[in-house]
Amino acid sequence: MHTFKLCSRSLTDCPGTSSQTAGKSAACAGCPNQSACATAPKGPDPDLAVIAARMRGIKHKILVLSGKGGVGKSTFSAQLAFALASKGKEVGLLDIDICGPSIPKMLGLEGQEIHQSNLGWSPVYVEDNLAVMSIGFMLPNPDDAVIWRGPRKNGLIKQFLKDVNWGELDYLIVDAPPGTSDEHITIAQCLQASSPADGAVIVSTPQV
Ligand SMILES: Nc1ncnc2c1ncn2[C@@H]1O[C@H](COP(=O)(O)OP(=O)(O)O)[C@@H](O)[C@H]1O
Ligand SMILES: [Mg+2]
């Protein structure tokens, strides 16, 4: 697993957050994250094995990303999902834009609810071979702003990856929020637990 170096003072010497010496090595002295690293659980994240097992039935994973919002990520993700499904592929579309989930609205799925079974959370099916999962299905009012700190967002993304019962998929398309932040690090790390994403599509528009 790739370890992200969180300490800004001595990046090259930072032992990494999952190291047994996290927060305790000489390079950690004075780092603002020292006490967090020293007290956090060490070693590989146990969730990663569960995620890897879940991802085993997914042949290809594609992330859709951008530096800023409103450039067409969700539109592109939805179109790509429909295009692949129309070719007869088994497709899953996962919306991890926790603060602005737009996939339910775009696909006419507002008000749909997620059902649970002993196999996990069942996604919402647009067609037999097109399954959709979004935080939007879990919010009581789609117009409410979601104001969450990083750890809570990471927790939900992990839960999506662990608990959604996609079954066998040819493609899982992940519609990400704008930027390069918590959600992106979490999804990249979690997907890597099984096999890394096949690629990322970066959506951009010209600056005017
Ligand atoms: N290729 C395009 N040309 C023109 N408008 C677009 C295009 N793609 C998306 N849009 C519009 O831009 C707006 C933002 O798109 P959206 O897919 O929600 O962006 P993001 O997910 O990056 O925030 C929407 O109103 C959408 O209809
Ligand atoms: Mg979007």
Side-chain angles (χ1 to χ4, degrees), residues 153-206:
K153 291 198 267 188
N154 295 347
L156 185 69
I157 292 171
K158 270 192 184 172
Q159 197 156 13
F160 269 154
L161 295 172
K162 263 171 36 185
D163 292 348
V164 178
N165 176 31
W166 298 103
E168 300 277 315
L169 286 183
D170 291 309
Y171 292 95
L172 177 67
I173 299 163
V174 182
D175 179 19
T180 50
S181 190
D182 280 310
E183 295 93 322
H184 312 88
I185 297 172
T186 302
I187 191 98
Q189 280 183 332
C190 288
L191 291 185
Q192 223 162 9
S194 53
S195 59
D198 291 80
V201 178
I202 311 286
V203 182
S204 68
T205 55

mmCIF file of all heavy atoms in Angstrom, residues 153-206:
data_model
loop_
_atom_site.group_PDB
_atom_site.id
_atom_site.type_symbol
_atom_site.label_atom_id
_atom_site.label_comp_id
_atom_site.label_asym_id
_atom_site.label_seq_id
_atom_site.Cartn_x
_atom_site.Cartn_y
_atom_site.Cartn_z
ATOM 1 N N LYS A 153 -16.266 11.772 5.919
ATOM 2 C CA LYS A 153 -16.394 11.524 4.479
ATOM 3 C C LYS A 153 -15.658 10.240 4.106
ATOM 4 O O LYS A 153 -16.172 9.407 3.370
ATOM 5 C CB LYS A 153 -15.828 12.704 3.680
ATOM 6 C CG LYS A 153 -16.666 13.962 3.810
ATOM 7 C CD LYS A 153 -16.359 14.931 2.719
ATOM 8 C CE LYS A 153 -15.313 15.926 3.125
ATOM 9 N NZ LYS A 153 -15.139 16.999 2.148
ATOM 10 N N ASN A 154 -14.447 10.112 4.651
ATOM 11 C CA ASN A 154 -13.660 8.904 4.362
ATOM 12 C C ASN A 154 -14.398 7.662 4.821
ATOM 13 O O ASN A 154 -14.406 6.641 4.140
ATOM 14 C CB ASN A 154 -12.311 8.953 5.083
ATOM 15 C CG ASN A 154 -11.454 10.078 4.568
ATOM 16 O OD1 ASN A 154 -11.756 10.656 3.545
ATOM 17 N ND2 ASN A 154 -10.405 10.377 5.296
ATOM 18 N N GLY A 155 -15.023 7.766 5.994
ATOM 19 C CA GLY A 155 -15.757 6.630 6.547
ATOM 20 C C GLY A 155 -16.882 6.210 5.622
ATOM 21 O O GLY A 155 -17.090 5.020 5.376
ATOM 22 N N LEU A 156 -17.575 7.179 5.082
ATOM 23 C CA LEU A 156 -18.699 6.837 4.206
ATOM 24 C C LEU A 156 -18.211 6.226 2.885
ATOM 25 O O LEU A 156 -18.789 5.252 2.397
ATOM 26 C CB LEU A 156 -19.550 8.076 3.913
ATOM 27 C CG LEU A 156 -20.781 7.706 3.101
ATOM 28 C CD1 LEU A 156 -21.765 6.884 3.916
ATOM 29 C CD2 LEU A 156 -21.463 8.917 2.524
ATOM 30 N N ILE A 157 -17.146 6.771 2.346
ATOM 31 C CA ILE A 157 -16.612 6.218 1.092
ATOM 32 C C ILE A 157 -16.186 4.764 1.308
ATOM 33 O O ILE A 157 -16.488 3.883 0.511
ATOM 34 C CB ILE A 157 -15.445 7.075 0.574
ATOM 35 C CG1 ILE A 157 -15.990 8.430 0.123
ATOM 36 C CG2 ILE A 157 -14.715 6.384 -0.565
ATOM 37 C CD1 ILE A 157 -14.933 9.434 -0.212
ATOM 38 N N LYS A 158 -15.517 4.528 2.431
ATOM 39 C CA LYS A 158 -15.098 3.164 2.735
ATOM 40 C C LYS A 158 -16.307 2.248 2.870
ATOM 41 O O LYS A 158 -16.293 1.114 2.418
ATOM 42 C CB LYS A 158 -14.338 3.140 4.054
ATOM 43 C CG LYS A 158 -12.867 3.337 3.902
ATOM 44 C CD LYS A 158 -12.276 2.986 5.234
ATOM 45 C CE LYS A 158 -10.833 3.209 5.329
ATOM 46 N NZ LYS A 158 -10.372 3.018 6.695
ATOM 47 N N GLN A 159 -17.336 2.776 3.516
ATOM 48 C CA GLN A 159 -18.537 1.964 3.700
ATOM 49 C C GLN A 159 -19.179 1.622 2.358
ATOM 50 O O GLN A 159 -19.611 0.498 2.133
ATOM 51 C CB GLN A 159 -19.527 2.716 4.574
ATOM 52 C CG GLN A 159 -20.568 1.795 5.139
ATOM 53 C CD GLN A 159 -21.171 2.345 6.402
ATOM 54 O OE1 GLN A 159 -20.992 3.511 6.752
ATOM 55 N NE2 GLN A 159 -21.895 1.494 7.101
ATOM 56 N N PHE A 160 -19.196 2.597 1.455
ATOM 57 C CA PHE A 160 -19.695 2.337 0.094
ATOM 58 C C PHE A 160 -18.911 1.189 -0.532
ATOM 59 O O PHE A 160 -19.467 0.288 -1.126
ATOM 60 C CB PHE A 160 -19.486 3.568 -0.793
ATOM 61 C CG PHE A 160 -20.651 4.524 -0.815
ATOM 62 C CD1 PHE A 160 -20.449 5.859 -1.091
ATOM 63 C CD2 PHE A 160 -21.950 4.087 -0.611
ATOM 64 C CE1 PHE A 160 -21.496 6.752 -1.138
ATOM 65 C CE2 PHE A 160 -23.011 4.966 -0.663
ATOM 66 C CZ PHE A 160 -22.789 6.307 -0.920
ATOM 67 N N LEU A 161 -17.601 1.261 -0.413
ATOM 68 C CA LEU A 161 -16.757 0.257 -1.070
ATOM 69 C C LEU A 161 -16.885 -1.109 -0.398
ATOM 70 O O LEU A 161 -16.784 -2.139 -1.044
ATOM 71 C CB LEU A 161 -15.299 0.710 -1.077
ATOM 72 C CG LEU A 161 -15.047 1.969 -1.907
ATOM 73 C CD1 LEU A 161 -13.631 2.455 -1.711
ATOM 74 C CD2 LEU A 161 -15.317 1.719 -3.383
ATOM 75 N N LYS A 162 -17.137 -1.085 0.918
ATOM 76 C CA LYS A 162 -17.232 -2.345 1.656
ATOM 77 C C LYS A 162 -18.601 -2.997 1.530
ATOM 78 O O LYS A 162 -18.710 -4.207 1.421
ATOM 79 C CB LYS A 162 -17.020 -2.061 3.158
ATOM 80 C CG LYS A 162 -15.622 -2.304 3.617
ATOM 81 C CD LYS A 162 -15.356 -1.832 5.039
ATOM 82 C CE LYS A 162 -16.446 -1.967 6.038
ATOM 83 N NZ LYS A 162 -16.095 -1.373 7.343
ATOM 84 N N ASP A 163 -19.633 -2.180 1.560
ATOM 85 C CA ASP A 163 -20.974 -2.733 1.771
ATOM 86 C C ASP A 163 -21.851 -2.817 0.539
ATOM 87 O O ASP A 163 -22.860 -3.505 0.559
ATOM 88 C CB ASP A 163 -21.716 -1.915 2.841
ATOM 89 C CG ASP A 163 -21.096 -2.096 4.207
ATOM 90 O OD1 ASP A 163 -20.265 -3.009 4.340
ATOM 91 O OD2 ASP A 163 -21.420 -1.337 5.122
ATOM 92 N N VAL A 164 -21.530 -2.080 -0.538
ATOM 93 C CA VAL A 164 -22.443 -2.120 -1.686
ATOM 94 C C VAL A 164 -22.259 -3.434 -2.430
ATOM 95 O O VAL A 164 -21.158 -3.818 -2.789
ATOM 96 C CB VAL A 164 -22.215 -0.918 -2.629
ATOM 97 C CG1 VAL A 164 -23.143 -1.021 -3.842
ATOM 98 C CG2 VAL A 164 -22.456 0.386 -1.899
ATOM 99 N N ASN A 165 -23.390 -4.095 -2.648
ATOM 100 C CA ASN A 165 -23.359 -5.390 -3.315
ATOM 101 C C ASN A 165 -23.550 -5.181 -4.822
ATOM 102 O O ASN A 165 -24.654 -5.253 -5.341
ATOM 103 C CB ASN A 165 -24.481 -6.267 -2.741
ATOM 104 C CG ASN A 165 -24.565 -7.586 -3.443
ATOM 105 O OD1 ASN A 165 -23.562 -8.125 -3.916
ATOM 106 N ND2 ASN A 165 -25.769 -8.125 -3.522
ATOM 107 N N TRP A 166 -22.451 -4.913 -5.521
ATOM 108 C CA TRP A 166 -22.525 -4.657 -6.965
ATOM 109 C C TRP A 166 -22.694 -5.960 -7.745
ATOM 110 O O TRP A 166 -23.116 -5.935 -8.892
ATOM 111 C CB TRP A 166 -21.249 -3.978 -7.465
ATOM 112 C CG TRP A 166 -20.947 -2.639 -6.895
ATOM 113 C CD1 TRP A 166 -20.026 -2.353 -5.937
ATOM 114 C CD2 TRP A 166 -21.560 -1.383 -7.240
ATOM 115 N NE1 TRP A 166 -20.027 -1.003 -5.666
ATOM 116 C CE2 TRP A 166 -20.947 -0.386 -6.455
ATOM 117 C CE3 TRP A 166 -22.560 -1.007 -8.141
ATOM 118 C CZ2 TRP A 166 -21.308 0.955 -6.541
ATOM 119 C CZ3 TRP A 166 -22.919 0.323 -8.232
ATOM 120 C CH2 TRP A 166 -22.309 1.287 -7.444
ATOM 121 N N GLY A 167 -22.316 -7.054 -7.156
ATOM 122 C CA GLY A 167 -22.265 -8.299 -7.931
ATOM 123 C C GLY A 167 -21.081 -8.243 -8.882
ATOM 124 O O GLY A 167 -20.092 -7.564 -8.625
ATOM 125 N N GLU A 168 -21.207 -8.966 -9.986
ATOM 126 C CA GLU A 168 -20.117 -8.965 -10.984
ATOM 127 C C GLU A 168 -20.309 -7.751 -11.886
ATOM 128 O O GLU A 168 -21.397 -7.514 -12.393
ATOM 129 C CB GLU A 168 -20.198 -10.230 -11.842
ATOM 130 C CG GLU A 168 -20.070 -11.525 -11.058
ATOM 131 C CD GLU A 168 -18.629 -11.891 -10.789
ATOM 132 O OE1 GLU A 168 -17.819 -11.796 -11.718
ATOM 133 O OE2 GLU A 168 -18.307 -12.251 -9.631
ATOM 134 N N LEU A 169 -19.232 -6.972 -12.063
ATOM 135 C CA LEU A 169 -19.330 -5.790 -12.941
ATOM 136 C C LEU A 169 -18.206 -5.813 -13.961
ATOM 137 O O LEU A 169 -17.086 -6.218 -13.664
ATOM 138 C CB LEU A 169 -19.174 -4.496 -12.129
ATOM 139 C CG LEU A 169 -20.299 -4.003 -11.231
ATOM 140 C CD1 LEU A 169 -19.887 -2.668 -10.613
ATOM 141 C CD2 LEU A 169 -21.610 -3.861 -11.976
ATOM 142 N N ASP A 170 -18.511 -5.320 -15.172
ATOM 143 C CA ASP A 170 -17.429 -5.083 -16.139
ATOM 144 C C ASP A 170 -16.744 -3.757 -15.799
ATOM 145 O O ASP A 170 -15.532 -3.638 -15.870
ATOM 146 C CB ASP A 170 -18.003 -5.028 -17.559
ATOM 147 C CG ASP A 170 -18.507 -6.397 -17.999
ATOM 148 O OD1 ASP A 170 -17.742 -7.362 -17.868
ATOM 149 O OD2 ASP A 170 -19.675 -6.500 -18.435
ATOM 150 N N TYR A 171 -17.559 -2.747 -15.449
ATOM 151 C CA TYR A 171 -17.005 -1.413 -15.169
ATOM 152 C C TYR A 171 -17.642 -0.806 -13.927
ATOM 153 O O TYR A 171 -18.863 -0.845 -13.777
ATOM 154 C CB TYR A 171 -17.285 -0.452 -16.337
ATOM 155 C CG TYR A 171 -16.530 -0.805 -17.584
ATOM 156 C CD1 TYR A 171 -17.129 -1.590 -18.569
ATOM 157 C CD2 TYR A 171 -15.226 -0.367 -17.783
ATOM 158 C CE1 TYR A 171 -16.430 -1.937 -19.723
ATOM 159 C CE2 TYR A 171 -14.527 -0.705 -18.927
ATOM 160 C CZ TYR A 171 -15.133 -1.494 -19.884
ATOM 161 O OH TYR A 171 -14.443 -1.832 -21.014
ATOM 162 N N LEU A 172 -16.796 -0.229 -13.066
ATOM 163 C CA LEU A 172 -17.286 0.623 -11.984
ATOM 164 C C LEU A 172 -16.772 2.031 -12.269
ATOM 165 O O LEU A 172 -15.556 2.252 -12.362
ATOM 166 C CB LEU A 172 -16.775 0.152 -10.619
ATOM 167 C CG LEU A 172 -17.198 1.039 -9.450
ATOM 168 C CD1 LEU A 172 -18.708 0.968 -9.216
ATOM 169 C CD2 LEU A 172 -16.484 0.650 -8.161
ATOM 170 N N ILE A 173 -17.705 2.955 -12.442
ATOM 171 C CA ILE A 173 -17.321 4.346 -12.718
ATOM 172 C C ILE A 173 -17.545 5.154 -11.449
ATOM 173 O O ILE A 173 -18.628 5.100 -10.858
ATOM 174 C CB ILE A 173 -18.182 4.904 -13.874
ATOM 175 C CG1 ILE A 173 -17.921 4.066 -15.125
ATOM 176 C CG2 ILE A 173 -17.873 6.372 -14.128
ATOM 177 C CD1 ILE A 173 -18.963 4.244 -16.179
ATOM 178 N N VAL A 174 -16.517 5.872 -11.024
ATOM 179 C CA VAL A 174 -16.616 6.636 -9.781
ATOM 180 C C VAL A 174 -16.634 8.128 -10.104
ATOM 181 O O VAL A 174 -15.669 8.675 -10.640
ATOM 182 C CB VAL A 174 -15.439 6.320 -8.832
ATOM 183 C CG1 VAL A 174 -15.591 7.075 -7.524
ATOM 184 C CG2 VAL A 174 -15.340 4.818 -8.568
ATOM 185 N N ASP A 175 -17.750 8.764 -9.799
ATOM 186 C CA ASP A 175 -17.909 10.211 -10.008
ATOM 187 C C ASP A 175 -17.418 10.907 -8.737
ATOM 188 O O ASP A 175 -18.058 10.830 -7.691
ATOM 189 C CB ASP A 175 -19.388 10.511 -10.268
ATOM 190 C CG ASP A 175 -19.654 11.983 -10.480
ATOM 191 O OD1 ASP A 175 -18.714 12.734 -10.785
ATOM 192 O OD2 ASP A 175 -20.837 12.390 -10.339
ATOM 193 N N ALA A 176 -16.264 11.569 -8.828
ATOM 194 C CA ALA A 176 -15.634 12.157 -7.645
ATOM 195 C C ALA A 176 -16.056 13.616 -7.457
ATOM 196 O O ALA A 176 -16.494 14.266 -8.406
ATOM 197 C CB ALA A 176 -14.116 12.072 -7.792
ATOM 198 N N PRO A 177 -15.898 14.137 -6.247
ATOM 199 C CA PRO A 177 -16.102 15.565 -6.049
ATOM 200 C C PRO A 177 -14.942 16.346 -6.659
ATOM 201 O O PRO A 177 -13.914 15.754 -6.997
ATOM 202 C CB PRO A 177 -16.121 15.713 -4.529
ATOM 203 C CG PRO A 177 -15.395 14.535 -4.014
ATOM 204 C CD PRO A 177 -15.513 13.443 -5.030
ATOM 205 N N PRO A 178 -15.067 17.668 -6.795
ATOM 206 C CA PRO A 178 -13.951 18.431 -7.359
ATOM 207 C C PRO A 178 -12.744 18.447 -6.419
ATOM 208 O O PRO A 178 -12.903 18.323 -5.210
ATOM 209 C CB PRO A 178 -14.528 19.839 -7.523
ATOM 210 C CG PRO A 178 -15.767 19.887 -6.690
ATOM 211 C CD PRO A 178 -16.254 18.486 -6.520
ATOM 212 N N GLY A 179 -11.564 18.587 -6.988
ATOM 213 C CA GLY A 179 -10.368 18.781 -6.168
ATOM 214 C C GLY A 179 -9.544 17.523 -6.009
ATOM 215 O O GLY A 179 -9.758 16.508 -6.668
ATOM 216 N N THR A 180 -8.554 17.631 -5.125
ATOM 217 C CA THR A 180 -7.626 16.528 -4.856
ATOM 218 C C THR A 180 -7.477 16.441 -3.345
ATOM 219 O O THR A 180 -6.503 16.905 -2.784
ATOM 220 C CB THR A 180 -6.248 16.813 -5.474
ATOM 221 O OG1 THR A 180 -5.867 18.127 -5.067
ATOM 222 C CG2 THR A 180 -6.270 16.745 -6.978
ATOM 223 N N SER A 181 -8.471 15.872 -2.701
ATOM 224 C CA SER A 181 -8.514 15.981 -1.245
ATOM 225 C C SER A 181 -8.836 14.640 -0.593
ATOM 226 O O SER A 181 -8.568 13.601 -1.169
ATOM 227 C CB SER A 181 -9.539 17.063 -0.916
ATOM 228 O OG SER A 181 -9.485 17.395 0.414
ATOM 229 N N ASP A 182 -9.435 14.683 0.589
ATOM 230 C CA ASP A 182 -9.717 13.460 1.358
ATOM 231 C C ASP A 182 -10.357 12.358 0.532
ATOM 232 O O ASP A 182 -9.917 11.214 0.543
ATOM 233 C CB ASP A 182 -10.696 13.787 2.497
ATOM 234 C CG ASP A 182 -10.006 14.419 3.666
ATOM 235 O OD1 ASP A 182 -8.997 13.888 4.118
ATOM 236 O OD2 ASP A 182 -10.490 15.472 4.125
ATOM 237 N N GLU A 183 -11.428 12.741 -0.168
ATOM 238 C CA GLU A 183 -12.193 11.724 -0.886
ATOM 239 C C GLU A 183 -11.340 11.031 -1.929
ATOM 240 O O GLU A 183 -11.441 9.827 -2.138
ATOM 241 C CB GLU A 183 -13.395 12.358 -1.597
ATOM 242 C CG GLU A 183 -14.430 12.960 -0.674
ATOM 243 C CD GLU A 183 -14.203 14.432 -0.432
ATOM 244 O OE1 GLU A 183 -13.029 14.861 -0.315
ATOM 245 O OE2 GLU A 183 -15.198 15.161 -0.332
ATOM 246 N N HIS A 184 -10.476 11.799 -2.583
ATOM 247 C CA HIS A 184 -9.675 11.248 -3.686
ATOM 248 C C HIS A 184 -8.588 10.326 -3.154
ATOM 249 O O HIS A 184 -8.321 9.269 -3.719
ATOM 250 C CB HIS A 184 -9.085 12.395 -4.509
ATOM 251 C CG HIS A 184 -10.133 13.413 -4.852
ATOM 252 N ND1 HIS A 184 -10.425 14.456 -4.005
ATOM 253 C CD2 HIS A 184 -10.977 13.504 -5.874
ATOM 254 C CE1 HIS A 184 -11.414 15.153 -4.514
ATOM 255 N NE2 HIS A 184 -11.776 14.603 -5.652
ATOM 256 N N ILE A 185 -7.982 10.741 -2.040
ATOM 257 C CA ILE A 185 -6.942 9.900 -1.437
ATOM 258 C C ILE A 185 -7.570 8.599 -0.953
ATOM 259 O O ILE A 185 -7.061 7.506 -1.196
ATOM 260 C CB ILE A 185 -6.258 10.645 -0.268
ATOM 261 C CG1 ILE A 185 -5.549 11.889 -0.779
ATOM 262 C CG2 ILE A 185 -5.268 9.723 0.449
ATOM 263 C CD1 ILE A 185 -5.009 12.785 0.328
ATOM 264 N N THR A 186 -8.720 8.732 -0.284
ATOM 265 C CA THR A 186 -9.374 7.531 0.252
ATOM 266 C C THR A 186 -9.744 6.567 -0.864
ATOM 267 O O THR A 186 -9.461 5.370 -0.777
ATOM 268 C CB THR A 186 -10.653 7.927 1.028
ATOM 269 O OG1 THR A 186 -10.269 8.824 2.050
ATOM 270 C CG2 THR A 186 -11.324 6.730 1.650
ATOM 271 N N ILE A 187 -10.364 7.075 -1.919
ATOM 272 C CA ILE A 187 -10.818 6.148 -2.962
ATOM 273 C C ILE A 187 -9.620 5.510 -3.662
ATOM 274 O O ILE A 187 -9.617 4.311 -3.924
ATOM 275 C CB ILE A 187 -11.799 6.829 -3.967
ATOM 276 C CG1 ILE A 187 -12.455 5.779 -4.871
ATOM 277 C CG2 ILE A 187 -11.135 7.850 -4.853
ATOM 278 C CD1 ILE A 187 -13.800 5.371 -4.431
ATOM 279 N N ALA A 188 -8.573 6.291 -3.915
ATOM 280 C CA ALA A 188 -7.402 5.722 -4.595
ATOM 281 C C ALA A 188 -6.752 4.651 -3.730
ATOM 282 O O ALA A 188 -6.412 3.568 -4.209
ATOM 283 C CB ALA A 188 -6.409 6.826 -4.935
ATOM 284 N N GLN A 189 -6.638 4.921 -2.429
ATOM 285 C CA GLN A 189 -6.007 3.940 -1.523
ATOM 286 C C GLN A 189 -6.856 2.690 -1.387
ATOM 287 O O GLN A 189 -6.342 1.576 -1.401
ATOM 288 C CB GLN A 189 -5.816 4.541 -0.132
ATOM 289 C CG GLN A 189 -4.596 5.429 -0.051
ATOM 290 C CD GLN A 189 -4.386 5.944 1.367
ATOM 291 O OE1 GLN A 189 -5.334 6.085 2.129
ATOM 292 N NE2 GLN A 189 -3.157 6.241 1.709
ATOM 293 N N CYS A 190 -8.158 2.893 -1.262
ATOM 294 C CA CYS A 190 -9.037 1.737 -1.050
ATOM 295 C C CYS A 190 -9.086 0.867 -2.298
ATOM 296 O O CYS A 190 -9.072 -0.355 -2.197
ATOM 297 C CB CYS A 190 -10.443 2.190 -0.685
ATOM 298 S SG CYS A 190 -10.548 2.860 0.968
ATOM 299 N N LEU A 191 -9.163 1.476 -3.464
ATOM 300 C CA LEU A 191 -9.223 0.675 -4.691
ATOM 301 C C LEU A 191 -7.929 -0.091 -4.871
ATOM 302 O O LEU A 191 -7.924 -1.223 -5.342
ATOM 303 C CB LEU A 191 -9.489 1.550 -5.917
ATOM 304 C CG LEU A 191 -10.877 2.179 -5.998
ATOM 305 C CD1 LEU A 191 -11.043 2.922 -7.305
ATOM 306 C CD2 LEU A 191 -11.972 1.122 -5.855
ATOM 307 N N GLN A 192 -6.840 0.525 -4.466
ATOM 308 C CA GLN A 192 -5.533 -0.108 -4.618
ATOM 309 C C GLN A 192 -5.434 -1.408 -3.820
ATOM 310 O O GLN A 192 -4.615 -2.269 -4.127
ATOM 311 C CB GLN A 192 -4.457 0.853 -4.125
ATOM 312 C CG GLN A 192 -3.274 0.896 -5.031
ATOM 313 C CD GLN A 192 -2.449 2.135 -4.785
ATOM 314 O OE1 GLN A 192 -2.679 2.870 -3.819
ATOM 315 N NE2 GLN A 192 -1.494 2.386 -5.636
ATOM 316 N N ALA A 193 -6.299 -1.537 -2.796
ATOM 317 C CA ALA A 193 -6.264 -2.730 -1.963
ATOM 318 C C ALA A 193 -6.501 -3.979 -2.804
ATOM 319 O O ALA A 193 -5.972 -5.038 -2.507
ATOM 320 C CB ALA A 193 -7.330 -2.632 -0.878
ATOM 321 N N SER A 194 -7.325 -3.875 -3.835
ATOM 322 C CA SER A 194 -7.535 -5.033 -4.702
ATOM 323 C C SER A 194 -6.613 -4.886 -5.908
ATOM 324 O O SER A 194 -5.594 -5.542 -6.016
ATOM 325 C CB SER A 194 -8.992 -5.151 -5.129
ATOM 326 O OG SER A 194 -9.457 -3.958 -5.701
ATOM 327 N N SER A 195 -6.973 -4.004 -6.807
ATOM 328 C CA SER A 195 -6.066 -3.658 -7.900
ATOM 329 C C SER A 195 -6.326 -2.193 -8.180
ATOM 330 O O SER A 195 -7.456 -1.730 -8.029
ATOM 331 C CB SER A 195 -6.353 -4.500 -9.127
ATOM 332 O OG SER A 195 -7.680 -4.291 -9.543
ATOM 333 N N PRO A 196 -5.308 -1.436 -8.566
ATOM 334 C CA PRO A 196 -5.509 0.002 -8.727
ATOM 335 C C PRO A 196 -6.562 0.295 -9.797
ATOM 336 O O PRO A 196 -6.843 -0.571 -10.631
ATOM 337 C CB PRO A 196 -4.136 0.506 -9.190
ATOM 338 C CG PRO A 196 -3.190 -0.608 -8.975
ATOM 339 C CD PRO A 196 -3.963 -1.869 -8.881
ATOM 340 N N ALA A 197 -7.124 1.501 -9.755
ATOM 341 C CA ALA A 197 -8.070 1.906 -10.797
ATOM 342 C C ALA A 197 -7.378 1.772 -12.154
ATOM 343 O O ALA A 197 -6.175 1.981 -12.276
ATOM 344 C CB ALA A 197 -8.511 3.340 -10.557
ATOM 345 N N ASP A 198 -8.166 1.393 -13.173
ATOM 346 C CA ASP A 198 -7.577 1.237 -14.516
ATOM 347 C C ASP A 198 -7.138 2.580 -15.078
ATOM 348 O O ASP A 198 -6.251 2.653 -15.906
ATOM 349 C CB ASP A 198 -8.611 0.610 -15.452
ATOM 350 C CG ASP A 198 -8.859 -0.826 -15.051
ATOM 351 O OD1 ASP A 198 -9.630 -1.052 -14.091
ATOM 352 O OD2 ASP A 198 -8.259 -1.699 -15.647
ATOM 353 N N GLY A 199 -7.790 3.629 -14.630
ATOM 354 C CA GLY A 199 -7.407 4.944 -15.116
ATOM 355 C C GLY A 199 -8.337 6.001 -14.568
ATOM 356 O O GLY A 199 -9.316 5.687 -13.885
ATOM 357 N N ALA A 200 -7.980 7.253 -14.850
ATOM 358 C CA ALA A 200 -8.821 8.367 -14.416
ATOM 359 C C ALA A 200 -9.087 9.257 -15.621
ATOM 360 O O ALA A 200 -8.225 9.423 -16.482
ATOM 361 C CB ALA A 200 -8.117 9.154 -13.319
ATOM 362 N N VAL A 201 -10.293 9.768 -15.684
ATOM 363 C CA VAL A 201 -10.635 10.742 -16.719
ATOM 364 C C VAL A 201 -10.659 12.101 -16.039
ATOM 365 O O VAL A 201 -11.387 12.290 -15.059
ATOM 366 C CB VAL A 201 -12.023 10.436 -17.327
ATOM 367 C CG1 VAL A 201 -12.397 11.482 -18.370
ATOM 368 C CG2 VAL A 201 -12.050 9.039 -17.922
ATOM 369 N N ILE A 202 -9.815 13.016 -16.512
ATOM 370 C CA ILE A 202 -9.789 14.360 -15.921
ATOM 371 C C ILE A 202 -10.641 15.264 -16.807
ATOM 372 O O ILE A 202 -10.372 15.396 -18.004
ATOM 373 C CB ILE A 202 -8.353 14.923 -15.875
ATOM 374 C CG1 ILE A 202 -7.370 13.894 -15.273
ATOM 375 C CG2 ILE A 202 -8.310 16.256 -15.129
ATOM 376 C CD1 ILE A 202 -7.473 13.719 -13.799
ATOM 377 N N VAL A 203 -11.644 15.859 -16.206
ATOM 378 C CA VAL A 203 -12.540 16.740 -16.970
ATOM 379 C C VAL A 203 -12.109 18.177 -16.714
ATOM 380 O O VAL A 203 -11.876 18.567 -15.563
ATOM 381 C CB VAL A 203 -14.011 16.554 -16.533
ATOM 382 C CG1 VAL A 203 -14.943 17.420 -17.364
ATOM 383 C CG2 VAL A 203 -14.413 15.076 -16.642
ATOM 384 N N SER A 204 -11.967 18.962 -17.782
ATOM 385 C CA SER A 204 -11.576 20.358 -17.577
ATOM 386 C C SER A 204 -12.307 21.244 -18.581
ATOM 387 O O SER A 204 -12.823 20.760 -19.589
ATOM 388 C CB SER A 204 -10.066 20.525 -17.735
ATOM 389 O OG SER A 204 -9.707 20.309 -19.075
ATOM 390 N N THR A 205 -12.375 22.517 -18.270
ATOM 391 C CA THR A 205 -12.925 23.486 -19.226
ATOM 392 C C THR A 205 -11.919 24.622 -19.338
ATOM 393 O O THR A 205 -11.150 24.864 -18.403
ATOM 394 C CB THR A 205 -14.265 24.078 -18.727
ATOM 395 O OG1 THR A 205 -14.038 24.630 -17.430
ATOM 396 C CG2 THR A 205 -15.355 23.047 -18.671
ATOM 397 N N PRO A 206 -11.924 25.321 -20.466
ATOM 398 C CA PRO A 206 -10.993 26.453 -20.585
ATOM 399 C C PRO A 206 -11.347 27.567 -19.602
ATOM 400 O O PRO A 206 -12.516 27.786 -19.322
ATOM 401 C CB PRO A 206 -11.170 26.926 -22.026
ATOM 402 C CG PRO A 206 -12.247 26.114 -22.629
ATOM 403 C CD PRO A 206 -12.754 25.137 -21.634
#
